[in-house]
Amino acid sequence: MCIMPYEPKKVENKIYQFWEESGFFNPDKLPARHKKPYTIVIPPPNVTGELHIGHALNATIQDILIRQKRMQGFKTLWLPGTDHAGIATQNVVEKKLRKEGKTRFDLGREKFIEEVWKWKEEYGNKILNQFKKLGSSCDWSRTRFTMDQGYSDAIKEAFLHYHKKGWIYKGKRIVNWCKRCATSLSDLELEYKEEKGNLWFIKYPVKDPPAGEAGGGFITVATTRPETMLGDTAVAVNPKDKRYKNLIGKTAVLPLVNREIPIISDILIDSKFGTGAVKVTPAHDITDQAIGEKHKLEAIQVIDEKGRIINSPEKPARSGFATGDAGGYNGLKIDEAREKIIEYLKCQNLLEKTENYTRQVPKCYRCSTTVELIPSMQWFLKMSELAKLAEKPVKAGKIKFHPKNFEKPYFDWLKNIKDWCISRQIWWGHKIPIEGETDVLDTWFSAALWPFATLGWPEKTKDLKNYYPTAVLSTARDIINLWVARMIFSGMEFMKEIPFSHVYVHATVLTRDGQRMSKSLGTGIDPVKLIEEFGADAVRFGIAFQIMGNQDIKFVTDNILMGKKFCNKIWNASKFVELKNGKEKYDGKKPYAKNKADKAILKSLEKTEKSVSKCLENFEFGKSAHILYDFFWHDFCDKYIEESKKQESENTNKILMYVLLGSIKLLHPFMPFITEKIYQQLPLKNKKECIMIEEWL
Ligand SMILES: [Zn+2]
């Protein structure tokens, strides 16, 4: 018998088109037996995105669940869509403009946004098409975008709802600020670069020093940012630090400006850093801001949005501790101010020493400019009530995390939650729906409404009634707080109902030796290339095979190759069974076991079905894949098919058909293309239009 190997390239696109034409991705078009809804909303990839291995993993997981539930008779909806991804998208279009020698400011806001929409129309569906390549059975007729008209209405409704409740307010907050892009950045938008710099040890005179103090009338602080001294409002030490016991509660005099500032103690101070005493600049440092709030310190902003010094006195009042003109910093760039300040301190004998110091400097992820922390007026959403809403259903077990150990950090985060800064100073996004406001909303504000805004909220739609709440949210661990928590309280607030019952936290895919995959480092694995080379089924199966419950997957491409070999094994077995069976149409009835081998294979199939069903209920994807592999390869091919070659019996042929059909049904959620192809070729009575809507065993 000469069998051609399975050729996914010849099969996959055609099969996918056939599925799309069948209409069965749309739950409303499924046969009547599909009654009970089962919904998954896709974590919307960025419109700028390209399928990476994490997407491929998560899409495989979701499609396995959806396809199995569809076969089990559920009215399955897997709702796709994309996120407008504020700054990421704005960045891509700005880059494009730069090539033409233009900036967004040349175009102006309105024209620029038009450009972004044009870009979105042209390239924004790329990633969704890549999801199709993987075999994802999403209902594309329901595809949403976080800035489509209906979704924008939902955002407005949600914002105004909070506003009416008095939960939205304006306040000053330290933000990461890129002076070149003139925008605040989220922590996720920073890239850290190691830079060699200095640690300066600066002597601050102490007013009325206790007699015999080791510092000789000074307290020395170590800092990497002497220019922010102008905004110091305290010196802090750890309360347990014996060196400074007698100085706590005293007053220091800030050099340069001769302002009196208190010496305080706070447990946040690391007594091992520098001298153990640090300057506190609440306006330009996150930790200092927290200390400042606790100790009711003034926050003096000394760096502005253009990265220049402000608010420093032109001529500081002279005191007995420091002399000379230290003024004239206003308007200087940070580097210039730093140089001038160090020079002055040297002259005044206030610079004790300088050490080399390497620090991680935050850079703007799109233009690499050093990011400054500056206070700025922002919009906030009060979290106190919403945090309770996020906590309650998880505490009550209505929403379950898998694995469960993700619940603790979730609760901890909620307990220590701060009000949510929801404004961003960029152009691409949802404008804050208040007259005259130019800021846009944080991308996560729109993502928080995803499970119900995609179904038509705030309108009372049929979809909302039918498909909300959803069943499972499958997501990465790094966005549990940013996204999952916010979807939960949004669901509770607006729908009075949980958004999903299960949160499946999938593993992070690392390189073979446990490194982070990164496109820029060239350590990433491109799933689209893998699909080209091995076929989508092999990629899906190879990925699923590695999901063994660990929080990291050290990705081994050999598993994809194994998936390809497995495809060939399945293909060859099906050809053998077809050949044995001839043209006779099989009625699908369970055949009798007439000998030991018959009995063993029927029993094994039954056991496999039970185990796989149970594993999938428990989100054990890898275990299911292993069970299916072992069953098909060893029990069916190695044993039963080999045995059957010695026999010429109609009953044996029936068993071969029965087991093959059962196997491809169980394998379908994992390897949808090849199983569909084989199903279409099998001579069956009562054949369904496609295996996708066949009954799970
Ligand atoms: Zn920038």
Side-chain angles (χ1 to χ4, degrees):
M1 187 169 70
C2 171
I3 295 170
M4 298 295 286
Y6 174 63
E7 291 180 83
K9 272 200 179 139
K10 286 192 181 161
V11 173
E12 290 178 353
N13 286 345
K14 275 188 210 154
I15 293 275
Y16 199 85
Q17 199 185 344
F18 164 70
W19 286 332
E20 282 201 285
E21 282 163 7
S22 78
F24 296 136
F25 289 171
N26 181 341
D28 300 330
K29 293 186 176 165
L30 284 168
R33 88 172 169 105
H34 300 263
K35 287 200 176 70
K36 202 174 162 202
Y38 179 93
T39 313
I40 294 179
V41 287
I42 208 166
N46 290 352
V47 276
T48 52
E50 287 191 36
L51 198 78
H52 60 57
I53 198 82
H55 293 128
L57 170 89
N58 201 9
T60 299
I61 287 165
Q62 294 169 81
D63 201 40
I64 288 172
L65 292 170
I66 281 286
R67 285 184 183 271
Q68 188 217 13
K69 291 291 170 187
R70 192 183 288 119
M71 292 171 82
Q72 284 180 328
F74 286 85
K75 199 168 178 179
T76 46
L77 169 61
W78 185 14
L79 194 148
T82 46
D83 192 291
H84 66 280
I87 197 156
T89 312
Q90 181 167 315
N91 188 21
V92 170
V93 178
E94 283 195 274
K95 239 189 206 162
K96 199 180 142 221
L97 286 175
R98 223 173 291 148
K99 277 185 198 153
E100 301 160 17
K102 285 186 227 156
T103 70
R104 71 183 149 111
F105 300 102
D106 296 333
L107 269 71
R109 186 166 183 147
E110 213 171 298
K111 268 264 155 60
F112 177 76
I113 289 172
E114 259 172 48
E115 283 299 309
V116 184
W117 273 109
K118 265 193 234 159
W119 183 91
K120 191 256 169 192
E121 294 311 322
E122 201 171 340
Y123 304 104
N125 282 330
K126 184 173 180 186
I127 189 154
L128 297 183
N129 290 325
Q130 292 173 325
F131 274 89
K132 290 182 183 179
K133 288 263 173 245
L134 199 65
S136 309
S137 58
C138 303
D139 179 5
W140 302 106
S141 73
R142 283 178 163 88
T143 303
R144 296 301 300 266
F145 176 53
T146 52
M147 269 174 68
D148 65 35
Q149 189 53 54
Y151 209 99
S152 300
D153 295 344
I155 300 293
K156 250 182 225 158
E157 179 86 13
F159 183 92
L160 295 174
H161 168 94
Y162 288 136
H163 196 259
K164 230 187 250 167
K165 279 191 135 174
W167 290 359
I168 286 191
Y169 66 94
K170 263 193 130 170
K172 274 220 163 176
R173 193 188 90 136
I174 292 183
V175 293
N176 302 307
W177 185 265
C178 174
K179 56 179 184 277
R180 199 213 66 89
C181 301
T183 186
S184 64
L185 300 166
S186 77
D187 290 345
L188 299 173
E189 290 156 345
L190 305 180
E191 275 170 4
Y192 286 86
K193 211 181 128 201
E194 209 175 78
E195 271 183 11
K196 286 198 178 111
N198 291 314
L199 189 61
W200 285 279
F201 291 72
I202 301 165
K203 285 154 65 178
Y204 286 26
V206 178
K207 201 179 160 190
D208 306 324
E213 196 55 38
F218 293 96
I219 183 164
T220 302
V221 302
T223 181
T224 57
R225 301 290 312 270
E227 65 279 8
T228 63
M229 271 175 77
L230 296 162
D232 284 2
T233 48
V235 169
V237 298
N238 191 289
K240 285 187 184 151
D241 195 332
K242 290 197 183 108
R243 293 173 289 180
Y244 300 112
K245 215 173 75 191
N246 297 327
L247 288 179
I248 297 168
K250 295 273 171 195
T251 300
V253 177
L254 182 63
L256 311 175
V257 296
N258 298 326
R259 186 159 23 84
E260 293 189 357
I261 55 176
I263 300 172
I264 58 169
S265 69
D266 197 288
I267 45 160
L268 288 173
I269 306 303
D270 175 8
S271 47
K272 291 199 187 82
F273 176 80
T275 59
V278 295
K279 56 200 258 343
V280 182
T281 325
H284 295 287
D285 184 278
I286 301 287
T287 312
D288 291 6
Q289 176 180 244
I291 293 171
E293 277 168 13
K294 223 186 319 176
H295 298 268
K296 304 210 161 38
L297 301 173
E298 199 187 341
I300 303 173
Q301 180 176 358
V302 294
I303 297 170
D304 73 0
E305 298 179 355
K306 294 200 167 83
R308 296 196 181 252
I309 300 294
I310 51 167
N311 294 336
S312 94
E314 282 308 323
K315 279 204 174 136
R318 295 190 179 187
S319 79
F321 297 105
T323 53
D325 186 6
Y329 300 112
N330 282 340
L332 293 185
K333 286 186 192 162
I334 289 166
D335 293 347
E336 295 165 351
R338 179 180 301 173
E339 212 170 294
K340 200 169 170 187
I341 286 169
I342 291 298
E343 209 44 53
Y344 174 78
L345 294 171
K346 266 188 205 160
C347 288
Q348 296 295 315
N349 249 341
L350 293 174
L351 185 67
E352 191 176 291
K353 60 172 174 172
T354 309
E355 284 179 0
N356 291 332
Y357 191 76
T358 305
R359 66 179 193 122
Q360 298 293 327
V361 179
K363 302 280 177 183
C364 171
Y365 82 108
R366 54 180 181 155
C367 75
S368 296
T369 301
T370 298
V371 167
E372 292 297 330
L373 290 164
I374 64 165
S376 122
M377 278 308 248
Q378 300 290 332
W379 290 90
F380 288 85
L381 177 56
K382 269 190 195 161
M383 276 298 114
S384 49
E385 293 305 311
L386 292 171
K388 283 180 211 157
L389 290 181
E391 188 185 67
K392 222 170 134 191
V394 183
K395 274 250 154 87
K398 281 189 179 165
I399 297 175
K400 291 191 172 75
F401 277 70
H402 309 269
K404 197 174 163 56
N405 58 18
F406 281 106
E407 286 177 10
K408 193 185 174 300
Y410 176 80
F411 291 136
D412 288 347
W413 182 74
L414 288 173
K415 212 191 288 167
N416 300 310
I417 201 162
K418 288 194 195 120
D419 287 348
W420 177 11
C421 176
I422 52 172
S423 48
R424 295 289 180 272
Q425 290 70 48
I426 55 172
W427 289 355
W428 174 245
H430 293 281
K431 226 193 223 177
I432 289 178
I434 291 214
E435 192 73 41
E437 188 51 63
T438 54
D439 283 2
V440 300
L441 287 162
D442 180 9
T443 298
W444 295 108
F445 189 91
S446 47
L449 313 180
W450 188 247
F452 49 92
T454 50
L455 293 168
W457 186 88
E459 303 299 319
K460 290 190 174 81
T461 59
K462 239 166 104 187
D463 269 9
L464 204 55
K465 192 166 161 266
N466 288 339
Y467 301 110
Y468 189 91
T470 73
V472 178
L473 179 86
S474 178
T475 188
R477 62 175 176 251
D478 51 352
I479 51 176
I480 292 176
N481 299 338
L482 284 175
W483 190 41
V484 179
R486 289 163 177 171
M487 282 191 285
I488 295 176
F489 69 60
S490 305
M492 298 302 287
E493 178 68 13
F494 295 108
M495 298 295 298
K496 310 288 172 218
E497 177 77 270
I498 52 169
F500 28 72
S501 321
H502 301 277
V503 177
Y504 175 73
V505 184
H506 66 66
T508 303
V509 185
L510 303 174
T511 63
R512 191 181 199 131
D513 36 347
Q515 301 294 311
R516 234 186 110 87
M517 282 197 186
S518 146
K519 213 174 165 184
S520 53
L521 291 177
T523 52
I525 286 180
D526 181 359
V528 180
K529 275 191 195 145
L530 289 178
I531 294 171
E532 285 280 309
E533 191 178 347
F534 300 101
D537 289 328
V539 173
R540 293 168 62 117
F541 195 78
I543 288 174
F545 204 75
Q546 300 181 64
I547 307 173
M548 291 306 284
N550 298 324
Q551 273 158 31
D552 292 319
I553 291 175
K554 289 179 187 167
F555 190 82
V556 183
T557 312
D558 302 0
N559 281 310
I560 310 292
L561 184 64
M562 175 277 299
K564 183 183 155 95
K565 285 182 182 160
F566 191 36
C567 281
N568 278 327
K569 191 79 178 171
I570 298 167
W571 186 248
N572 291 346
S574 76
K575 290 291 154 202
F576 173 81
V577 173
E578 276 174 47
L579 212 70
K580 271 283 227 188
N581 184 80
K583 284 198 174 120
E584 173 115 20
K585 280 200 173 178
Y586 170 59
D587 61 9
K589 279 185 196 144
K590 186 174 175 180
Y592 295 104
K594 289 199 169 156
N595 56 41
K596 236 168 107 182
D598 294 352
K599 221 174 172 175
I601 192 66
L602 291 176
K603 209 173 153 195
S604 177
L605 174 65
E606 198 179 316
K607 205 177 134 205
T608 301
E609 183 269 316
K610 278 195 182 131
S611 312
V612 170
S613 298
K614 198 170 158 233
C615 284
L616 289 182
E617 286 301 320
N618 295 328
F619 304 102
E620 294 170 306
F621 302 99
K623 201 171 160 195
S624 323
H626 283 257
I627 290 169
L628 283 165
Y629 182 90
D630 286 340
F631 166 74
F632 196 88
W633 198 294
H634 301 302
D635 292 2
F636 189 43
C637 295
D638 288 355
K639 290 184 194 152
Y640 195 77
I641 287 188
E642 286 312 308
E643 184 67 28
S644 75
K645 288 178 182 167
K646 298 176 207 154
Q647 311 211 3
E648 265 320 319
S649 123
E650 209 176 295
N651 195 61
T652 304
N653 294 348
K654 269 192 183 166
I655 290 180
L656 284 169
M657 279 295 277
Y658 178 78
V659 177
L660 177 68
L661 181 59
S663 303
I664 60 171
K665 283 203 237 172
L666 293 177
L667 283 163
H668 177 71
F670 296 82
M671 313 174 96
F673 292 105
I674 189 171
T675 50
E676 186 70 76
K677 178 74 184 163
I678 293 170
Y679 183 80
Q680 293 303 329
Q681 289 170 351
L682 285 182
L684 300 171
K685 282 180 193 165
N686 316 316
K687 197 174 188 166
K688 298 261 169 36
E689 201 175 321
C690 51
I691 194 171
M692 191 166 63
I693 55 161
E694 258 287 358
E695 281 167 40
W696 190 250
L697 299 187

